[in-house]
Amino acid sequence: MNDPTAKPDSLLKAAIVRVTPFEQNCTLIWDEASKVGAVVDPGGDLDRIEQAIKQAGISIEKILLTHGHIDHAGGAEELRDKLGVKIEGPHKNDIILLEGLEKQGKHYGVEGVRNVTPDRWLAEGDRVTVAGHTFEIFHCPGHSPGSVVYFDRKQRFALVGDVLFRGSIGRTDFPYGDHEALISSIKTKLFPLGDDIAFICGHGPPGQFGPERLSNPFLV
Ligand SMILES: [Zn+2]
Ligand SMILES: [Zn+2]
């Protein structure tokens, strides 16, 4: 029957669109069967994001943000307007970054950036759904105070933003960065989820938690 808690059996798919001068991995995720999905971190270059949406043949039901830096959130307000969807995330500790995006844009010489107020702030333990697939929210401060990680337990997959990279970790020399907090977020919240967890990060190639736990020079 019409069970709202039923999980789709089809797979969640992902595609990366490299955006902004910072080469940020804007990520499209969508359900293979329904072709409904979300845009994660539309930092800018909306024409390329819209082209990728068209190419994948999907319809977007929401925008997700991992944190408030310009390369991740700089195009979110404009895309929300264009698509008529809501923005979920990050944690509200990034409000100061999201309200300063226009200023960040001027500082870095990036045009068309607008400040963002999400429709929903996320906190540790919250759940976000994309086309019926559930993501658990982990608040992972350090790179920014409001960074969140989206975890799909069923598909063993995480969207980690700039918390963790393949062979590296997020920078903590920006305002509001906290190196100790970042290391603790990764070691106490992410790695316990399992070595088999695949991740897409904000910059560079995707990876898996196991190899990072064993050989990432910032974490061993
Ligand atoms: Zn960042
Ligand atoms: Zn970034």
Side-chain angles (χ1 to χ4, degrees):
M1 296 302 288
N2 220 346
D3 177 4
T5 62
K7 303 281 185 297
D9 291 324
S10 57
L11 285 177
L12 205 56
K13 296 192 74 178
I16 290 171
V17 189
R18 199 72 45 89
V19 298
T20 81
F22 305 95
E23 306 209 320
Q24 198 272 122
N25 293 330
C26 169
T27 304
L28 305 181
I29 49 172
W30 70 91
D31 178 74
E32 203 173 23
S34 68
K35 299 271 185 190
V36 173
V39 180
V40 185
D41 287 352
D45 296 328
L46 295 194
D47 49 334
R48 277 155 64 191
I49 296 171
E50 288 169 300
Q51 182 60 35
I53 292 169
K54 219 164 137 190
Q55 207 174 333
I58 57 178
S59 65
I60 297 302
E61 66 172 6
K62 61 181 68 174
I63 294 167
L64 304 178
L65 297 178
T66 62
H67 65 294
H69 284 150
I70 187 170
D71 49 330
H72 298 255
E77 184 65 35
E78 193 184 342
L79 191 63
R80 168 164 60 184
D81 268 2
K82 282 187 162 178
L83 299 178
V85 297
K86 299 207 157 147
I87 298 175
E88 299 186 33
H91 185 281
K92 70 172 179 305
N93 286 359
D94 268 6
I95 190 167
I96 193 156
L97 294 170
L98 292 166
E99 287 180 347
L101 283 170
E102 284 161 26
K103 230 165 91 187
Q104 285 186 55
K106 288 201 183 90
H107 178 77
Y108 289 110
V110 184
E111 308 229 325
V113 174
R114 287 161 62 185
N115 292 345
V116 181
T117 306
D119 297 283
R120 180 189 177 198
W121 295 112
L122 297 174
E124 180 84 10
D126 279 352
R127 298 270 193 282
V128 164
T129 60
V130 175
H133 296 262
T134 300
F135 285 88
E136 297 169 35
I137 301 306
F138 292 87
H139 178 210
C140 295
H143 172 68
S144 78
S147 284
V148 293
V149 165
Y150 296 82
F151 176 54
D152 179 346
R153 191 175 293 271
K154 194 177 163 200
Q155 213 166 301
R156 317 297 292 158
F157 165 71
L159 295 153
V160 301
D162 287 357
V163 171
L164 174 69
F165 301 120
R166 191 147 115 191
S168 188
I169 57 172
R171 287 174 61 172
T172 51
D173 57 330
F174 293 123
Y176 321 110
D178 181 336
H179 182 77
E180 305 272 288
L182 180 63
I183 300 289
S184 164
S185 292
I186 296 168
K187 289 189 172 173
T188 67
K189 294 188 179 182
L190 300 189
F191 285 170
L193 297 175
D195 282 352
D196 63 318
I197 307 302
F199 67 85
I200 287 179
C201 44
H203 305 267
Q208 245 188 339
F209 285 172
E212 300 313 317
R213 190 178 61 77
L214 294 169
S215 64
N216 186 313
F218 296 91
L219 297 163
V220 291

